[in-house]
Amino acid sequence: MANISFLLVLIIVPFVLIGMSSAQLTSNFYNSSCPNVLSIIKTAVNSAIATESRMGASLLRLHFHDCFVNGCDASVLLDDTSSFTGEKTANPNSGSIRGFDVIDTIKTQVESSCADVVSCADILAVAARDSVVKLGGPSWTVLLGRRDSTTASLSTANSDIPAPTLNLSGLISSFSNKGFNSREMVALSGSHTIGQARCTTFRDRLYNETDINSSFATSVKSNCPQSGSDNNISPLDTTSPTTFDNIYYKNLRIQKGLLHSDQQLSSGGSTDSIVNTYSSNSATFFTDFANAMVKMGNLSPLTGTNGQIRKNCRKTN
């Protein structure tokens, strides 16, 4: 009998531990505590994009840069203080990450509707989805229940957010470290079908790389000289920069990737076939992108009693 009891403990205890350690986000988390939250976020996002179409890409990028640094915990939103250095000055973020005012506006409106209930991390996740939808992309069910971090990591932001200079092997490794396979990496890279990049991130490609369409390079060089004008911006997808579509992949096939990391996806390597699939079938891209976004949104969320619900997304309570 003692042996049977011991076996039961061996079976039950791991099950309990697994259940406790794998935090579960749900689609109906705020149904009773803040039933208007999704409509509040959607209205605010649509308004922000109507004012500036580029904002959709910026809000999507905020969520991505949040999740890749110790999980989706709104750490990217924390301002520096005299005793604390956040992630905003990390190399991938400094001078380019934006959309904080929009998140502030949403947070203020949400707090008015239901105070101390909705996390900044969840707002980021929903705003990213609503941005994609507003610009013509796919929708997905955003799982909710994240809580906000009380800390951030400048060093992790510098090390874990994929750089625009990465080669294909580096991209595969960077995404693999977060649990994504190559197909998911290529799908998530499709977020570059919207948005802009700064001259400093693609100047070297323009002037020193050969796998670039010459007329495309010439046209972009007019806005990105060999020196100076670092913060001049150019669209990542020159064809339809404010529409979420599959033209990004079509451009890669004809060597019109703006960033070195973009063109690496279609450079005679292992991901060429995925790019070809997405370039010829937008429905497949949309499905894969939506699924990958759900997966990304589930990266190491704080739940339960971990973290907090920040009253102000820029600072801890």
Side-chain angles (χ1 to χ4, degrees), residues 27-180:
S27 60
N28 59 0
F29 189 82
Y30 297 112
N31 279 15
S32 58
S33 61
C34 194
N36 297 324
V37 63
L38 294 181
S39 61
I40 291 171
I41 297 172
K42 181 178 181 179
T43 300
V45 167
N46 288 351
S47 175
I49 293 174
T51 301
E52 183 198 7
S53 55
R54 181 188 172 199
M55 187 53 69
S58 298
L59 292 173
L60 175 58
R61 187 168 180 249
L62 263 184
H63 180 46
F64 174 70
H65 282 217
D66 178 34
C67 292
F68 260 58
V69 183
N70 298 327
C72 309
D73 59 4
S75 60
V76 71
L77 301 178
L78 290 172
D79 283 340
D80 293 353
T81 67
S82 57
S83 59
F84 172 86
T85 303
E87 297 165 13
K88 292 180 178 178
T89 55
N91 292 331
N93 296 333
S94 181
S96 67
I97 203 165
R98 58 199 298 275
F100 300 110
D101 291 346
V102 175
I103 300 301
D104 290 341
T105 298
I106 295 171
K107 180 62 172 173
T108 299
Q109 294 173 356
V110 170
E111 287 294 303
S112 296
S113 180
C114 36
D116 304 325
V117 172
V118 180
S119 68
C120 301
D122 277 349
I123 289 173
L124 282 177
V126 176
R129 187 271 312 273
D130 291 348
S131 293
V132 171
V133 172
K134 177 65 174 174
L135 295 176
S139 186
W140 59 91
T141 300
V142 179
L143 301 179
L144 302 165
R146 300 167 191 81
R147 288 167 66 84
D148 300 323
S149 67
T150 55
T151 186
S153 177
L154 179 70
S155 60
T156 306
N158 278 323
S159 64
D160 287 17
I161 296 173
T165 53
L166 287 180
N167 292 330
L168 181 59
S169 60
L171 288 167
I172 291 172
S173 175
S174 180
F175 280 80
S176 176
N177 288 339
K178 303 297 178 184
F180 296 104

Side-chain angles (χ1 to χ4, degrees), residues 290-310:
N291 289 336
M293 286 299 294
V294 173
K295 183 173 178 177
M296 187 179 78
N298 203 32
L299 285 176
S300 307
L302 298 171
T303 58
T305 56
N306 294 317
Q308 61 181 210
I309 304 298
R310 283 191 224 136

Side-chain angles (χ1 to χ4, degrees), residues 231-253:
N231 291 320
N232 283 5
I233 55 175
S234 293
L236 290 155
D237 167 6
T238 55
T239 310
S240 54
T242 58
T243 302
F244 197 99
D245 53 30
N246 68 334
I247 292 180
Y248 164 79
Y249 298 106
K250 295 179 185 290
N251 288 338
L252 295 185
R253 294 189 67 184

Side-chain angles (χ1 to χ4, degrees), residues 256-279:
K256 289 186 178 182
L258 184 66
L259 304 178
H260 175 80
S261 56
D262 287 330
Q263 196 58 56
Q264 283 291 293
L265 303 180
S266 183
S267 58
S270 60
T271 54
D272 281 24
S273 60
I274 308 169
V275 170
N276 294 345
T277 296
Y278 292 159
S279 71

